[in-house]
Amino acid sequence: MDHTYTPEDLNAVIRQHSEWIAAQLHAQRESLFPPNASKTMRKFTSGEAAALLGVNDSYLRKLHLDGKGPSPELTAGNRRQYSAEDIQDLRHLLEKTARKPGDYLPGRRDGDHMQIIGVMNFKGGSGKTTTSAHLAQRLALKGYRVLAIDLDPQASLTALHGVQPEFDLKDGGTLYDAIRYDDPAPIASVIRKTYIPNLDLIPGNLELMEFEHDTPRALAQGSAGLFFFRVKEALAQVDSDYDVVVIDCPPQLGFLTMSALSAATGVLVTIHPEMLDVMSMSQFLRMTADLMDVIAQSGADMSHDWMRYLLTRYEPSDAPQNRIVAFLRTMYGDKVLNAPMLKSTAISDAGLTKQTLYEVERSAFTRSTYDRAVESLNAVNDEISQLIQETWGRS
């Protein structure tokens, strides 16, 4: 029997598949967050609120009974629940009587420079976006004024924060608007408030790739100037508005990543402790160093406050991973963060509904699984917070 094989138009197939998944994701979002498809932050138990503030739960209870600060919501079991806004209000109240400035509002003071953290890796799957999202949210919940920037055209950080690139950013609205060569927009025009107090977002989408295409053309025409300063110059417009900027960089060393590196005061490189990933990182670091040499020769100051490696998706019971972790710690010493980000089904399960672990309810998981994952994330993010404080000259 004669079968005639008909070749498919690859472009048409890929485009159709793209449209199918975009439509399904949009439908999922509409069903998860009706009626206006906007996300909200969950409420925090009194114990969680106390831990975020660094006080005892009994002290929070006393404040409530004395009529000081916001009134928490009382559940059917007479348990207190605080919104993220309540916690922020309590920070301002407690700071007035703090033993030392910054106990409850840890952000910048006079003379402190804005911290710009570039989260990067050359290889996908290293936990870069998961790291960026949880870091930005944790810092915001701890009282820092945070701007999260999605510089990855794949826009996973954007989707995690309730913005669907294909539907919500049809007319621009990414950082590209503020760093393009032709009539750049003020960066304030692309900043969005999120559902978490203190956390703003500049979303991303495929439009960011235009910068990768525009820059070689501008360089050839002699109109690019010092192109790698464009992100830094755009952020200078909102310098007084934020304590920390977290940039989720693309998983390749293009012009966007080079611009983010030039803007960054701190660099966080995510590493999955597997041999293939470490081999890939070796090439990533060599290529990064070569590019930074070129940028430095063009007049850029490539000094940074700090650079650290973060072990991600780490499984303590995996013997080969432990050997690689020991190898990395021996080689890089204190450049490797003490706290690793553990591999957890809780983090991936939260991602199914486009949420971080800080957004989901503890009751949705086995308690031990949730607690173990949150403890790991908090240890990582609080270690980075400590680095920020040390940069500002505070212990």
Side-chain angles (χ1 to χ4, degrees), residues 361-380:
E361 297 285 352
R362 185 184 184 214
S363 58
F365 301 94
T366 306
R367 284 194 171 190
S368 58
T369 302
Y370 177 88
D371 290 346
R372 180 170 167 268
V374 165
E375 185 179 325
S376 163
L377 288 169
N378 289 348
V380 167

Side-chain angles (χ1 to χ4, degrees), residues 10 20 38 42 54 80-81 85 117 132 184 199 218 241 243 270 273 280 310 319 322 351 359-361 365 388 391:
L10 183 61
W20 281 351
S38 63
R42 69 175 177 89
R80 288 166 291 123
Q81 287 194 326
E85 289 81 6
I117 302 172
S132 301
L199 178 59
D241 298 333
D243 303 314
T270 53
S280 171
L310 167 62
N322 282 324
E359 297 175 59
V360 294
E361 297 285 352
F365 301 94
I388 293 169
T391 298

Side-chain angles (χ1 to χ4, degrees), residues 27 52 62 97 118 156 165 200 212 214 227 249 290:
L52 280 168
K62 184 177 186 306
T97 55
S156 300
D200 291 349
E212 304 288 357
D214 292 350
F227 74 87
C249 296
D290 289 345

Side-chain angles (χ1 to χ4, degrees), residues 62-104:
K62 184 177 186 306
L63 284 176
H64 170 53
L65 293 175
D66 291 347
K68 295 178 180 176
S71 297
E73 179 184 304
L74 295 177
T75 66
N78 218 29
R79 296 180 182 275
R80 288 166 291 123
Q81 287 194 326
Y82 294 83
S83 69
E85 289 81 6
D86 291 339
I87 294 171
Q88 181 61 10
D89 289 344
L90 283 165
R91 286 191 182 282
H92 285 279
L93 175 69
L94 295 170
E95 183 70 20
K96 292 174 183 175
T97 55
R99 291 179 182 175
K100 62 179 188 293
D103 276 352
Y104 301 100

Side-chain angles (χ1 to χ4, degrees), residues 22 34 48 204 248 262 274 333 344 374:
E48 289 175 318
D248 184 17
S262 300
E274 298 278 4
S344 174
V374 165

Side-chain angles (χ1 to χ4, degrees), residues 179-351:
I179 62 173
R180 65 190 179 213
Y181 297 98
D182 180 27
D183 190 27
I187 192 171
S189 67
V190 295
I191 294 176
R192 295 173 173 231
K193 294 288 181 190
T194 71
Y195 44 91
I196 298 175
N198 288 338
L199 178 59
D200 291 349
L201 172 72
I202 297 180
N205 69 0
L206 289 173
E207 185 184 48
L208 287 164
M209 287 302 296
E210 295 296 322
F211 189 72
E212 304 288 357
H213 302 147
D214 292 350
T215 300
R217 189 162 52 245
L219 286 169
Q221 295 169 352
S223 59
L226 297 177
F227 74 87
F228 41 81
F229 279 158
R230 297 190 78 80
V231 171
K232 186 175 186 176
E233 288 167 351
L235 286 173
Q237 299 170 28
V238 290
D239 180 89
S240 60
D241 298 333
Y242 299 101
D243 303 314
V244 184
V245 177
V246 177
I247 305 178
D248 184 17
C249 296
Q252 71 269 342
L253 283 173
F255 295 113
L256 284 168
T257 302
M258 290 166 70
S259 298
L261 263 174
S262 300
T265 59
V267 175
L268 191 62
V269 180
T270 53
I271 313 176
H272 181 216
E274 298 278 4
M275 185 51 72
L276 285 176
D277 293 75
V278 172
M279 290 164 60
S280 171
M281 190 188 73
S282 167
Q283 298 304 307
F284 167 78
L285 293 175
R286 179 172 296 181
M287 291 163 62
T288 303
D290 289 345
L291 285 171
M292 290 177 77
D293 281 344
V294 173
I295 295 173
Q297 288 165 11
S298 301
D301 178 7
M302 296 308 292
S303 59
H304 289 71
D305 292 332
W306 53 268
M307 175 192 173
R308 292 292 185 275
Y309 298 100
L310 167 62
L311 301 166
T312 59
R313 295 168 56 213
Y314 172 52
E315 298 178 79
S317 59
D318 187 319
Q321 279 199 15
N322 282 324
R323 284 197 290 272
I324 289 174
V325 169
F327 166 71
L328 290 169
R329 290 196 186 280
T330 300
M331 193 163 43
Y332 295 138
D334 61 6
K335 293 292 185 188
V336 182
L337 289 179
N338 288 321
M341 184 184 289
L342 300 182
K343 183 176 182 180
S344 174
T345 54
I347 295 174
S348 50
D349 285 353

